[in-house]
Every structure is written in structure tokens, then in C-alpha cells.
Amino acid sequence: MEIIIRPDASAAVELVSSLLSQRIRSQPDCVLGLATGRTMEQLYESLARQPLSFRQCSTFNLDEYVGLTADDPQSYRHYMQQHLFSKTDIDLRNTHVPDGSASDLKQAASDYEQAIQAAGGIDVQLLGIGEAGHIGFNEPLSAIMSRTRDKCLTPTTRRQNAGMFGGDAERVPSRALTMGVGTILDAREIILLATGKAKAAIIAQAVEGPITSMVSASALQLHPNCKVIVDDDAASGLQGREYYDFVFDNEPEWADFRP
Ligand code: F6R
């Protein structure tokens, strides 16, 4: 795992945007795992501004609320359409979001896993992190080997996501269809982006704490190619900052990305 700390949210977002742009240019048919949420809005805005073609890319989103259809303005399919897909030349037939409106969720989950396999697996998985440590909607106690399935959301997550539902946590669906922690760990590369003070405590637990299913993001410590990109605020609980900064300032792989 590598931790890269940038001075503010815009710099953290721009770094992730550069990493993804570079990947899409060097591998135009790459398979991207995508996330939603407030943190990603700035990132998608930046990506959509790049002179970049998504024409040959395939995408798989992490999750979708159970019970929402693709055309529901609160669905993650709608979010993706609004923040990224409609602003790029991506071929919508190559975009995938779990089907939270399926009558058979088990089947929809297994179809999703198969579609990822059929695409050759995920090249780069983008992640945010919830305040209870979830990646995707893998709430505390999600098995580290879990696969795509429907999952009950924690009250913390429903409160955190209430903004999209008129500020009322009760209106946030109580379940979601989400890639499992194991599905996420199968990606060949993982990039987690977190910004803001509200993420400081959970970033410290996920990165420097023990690997535990109580903090799903801590499972990323097992991944051989995972980058965690944070701003100063989200990094404020980390103990090993001197070393993380030294790596960014000195390792040749980061030379193109240093200001
Ligand atoms: C969304 C997702 C979630 C979010 C996380 C952070 O697809 O998978 O794990 O990334 O809840 O959300 P924000 O960025 O709104 O704090």
C-alpha cells in the first residue's frame, strides 16, 4: 500500500485524475471499477474536462441501492449518467451498475460477478471510504472474502447519504447490492480517494490499524497494488506521514506527478 498526501482536496483529486487519465491513454480498452458519492463528484468533473476518450473503456460500478430503478434520480446509475457518462464519449453498452431493482437479487449478484469475469476482470478499481470504513457498501463485519450480494446498510451510512434523499436518513434505502470485499480485492490495481476531516479517523484505522472485518477498508492492506490518496485533512490521524511523504518525494514512479 502507498499513501500519498496532497495539501488539499483539489490536489488529491487532480492526482487521481492524472493517474486515471494516464491509464486510459496507455490502455484505452481498460476495465474501470467506479464509485459514487460526494468525493467522486469533483473527480468526475476533472476527468470529464480532460482531452480523453472513454470510447473503448468498460466500467463496473461498486454498488446500487436495492429497490431503485436505473431512471430513479437517486439511483447510482443516474448519478453516473449525470456526473460522468453523459460528459464523455463512453459507449453506454460497456457501462455496468448492479441491478438494484432485480426481482431476484441473488441472480443479479451472480450475473454481475460473471460480467466482471467476462470482461477480463477489473484493471483499476476506484474507491471512496465511508465513515464506518465501508468500501462499496461493505458495512462492518462484511467478510473479507465476500462477493457481490445485497447488504443491509448501517444507520451511519444512511445518515451519511441522506443528502441525496432530501436530508432524511429514513428515505435512504436500507439495502444495497454491492461488490464484495473479495470482488474488490480481485482488481489488479486499487486507488482509494478520501478528503476532509470527517475521514481522518477511519483512514488512520484502515491504513495503520489491524486488518479486521469491522473496518472493511483495512482489507486493502492485503492488496499488492493499492494507492490511498488523501488530502491533509483526511491524513491528519496518520502516524507514519514522514515515510509516506518521503516515498512520494523520492520514488521514481511518482516523478511525473510531483508538482
Ligand atoms: C459509493 C460507495 C461508497 C462511497 C463512500 C464515500 O459507490 O461505494 O463506498 O465511496 O460512502 O462517500 P462520500 O464520498 O459521499 O463520502
Side-chain angles (χ1 to χ4, degrees), residues 97-253:
V97 181
D99 182 3
S101 67
S103 54
D104 185 343
L105 290 170
K106 272 202 169 53
Q107 188 60 50
S110 118
D111 291 349
Y112 205 64
E113 289 278 338
Q114 271 175 28
I116 294 172
Q117 293 284 319
I122 291 173
D123 289 306
V124 188
Q125 176 66 57
L126 182 63
L127 297 175
I129 186 170
E131 286 166 36
H134 71 208
I135 45 177
F137 272 135
N138 291 288
E139 302 290 42
L141 291 181
S142 289
I144 289 177
M145 293 170 78
S146 53
R147 313 301 306 183
T148 303
R149 70 220 183 285
D150 77 303
K151 186 79 192 154
C152 183
L153 302 182
T154 60
T156 310
T157 296
R158 292 178 77 205
R159 279 194 295 272
Q160 190 194 305
N161 290 4
M164 291 279 288
F165 295 83
D168 182 0
E170 286 298 309
R171 287 180 50 212
V172 179
S174 59
R175 303 187 78 80
L177 199 56
T178 179
M179 280 188 202
V181 181
T183 319
I184 292 169
L185 291 178
D186 281 350
R188 286 181 272 278
E189 180 179 357
I190 296 179
I191 301 176
L192 185 146
L193 170 65
T195 58
K197 270 257 181 287
K199 301 290 170 71
I202 199 66
I203 281 290
Q205 282 186 60
V207 168
E208 295 178 339
I211 297 174
T212 164
S213 59
M214 281 305 287
V215 179
S216 296
S218 68
L220 298 174
Q221 295 174 31
L222 297 167
H223 196 278
N225 188 5
C226 176
K227 298 173 177 66
V228 173
I229 302 190
V230 289
D231 67 352
D232 224 37
D233 283 341
S236 56
L238 293 171
Q239 305 288 313
R241 179 167 187 152
E242 188 188 6
Y243 175 59
Y244 313 146
D245 285 342
F246 182 83
V247 169
F248 184 66
D249 292 342
N250 292 282
E251 283 293 283
E253 72 162 302

Side-chain angles (χ1 to χ4, degrees), residues 35-39 62-63 76 128-130 134-136 160 199:
T36 59
R38 282 165 306 234
T39 314
L62 284 163
D63 40 26
Y76 283 163
I129 186 170
H134 71 208
I135 45 177
Q160 190 194 305
K199 301 290 170 71

Side-chain angles (χ1 to χ4, degrees), residues 4 33 43 49 54 58 60 65 82 84 88 91 103 111 144-145 162 179 212 220 236 239 241 246 256 258:
I4 306 300
L43 174 67
R49 274 198 314 266
F54 287 77
S58 305
F60 287 87
Y65 289 113
Q82 181 188 357
L84 187 69
T88 66
D91 182 342
S103 54
D111 291 349
I144 289 177
M145 293 170 78
M179 280 188 202
T212 164
L220 298 174
S236 56
Q239 305 288 313
R241 179 167 187 152
F246 182 83
D256 291 347
R258 290 195 277 267

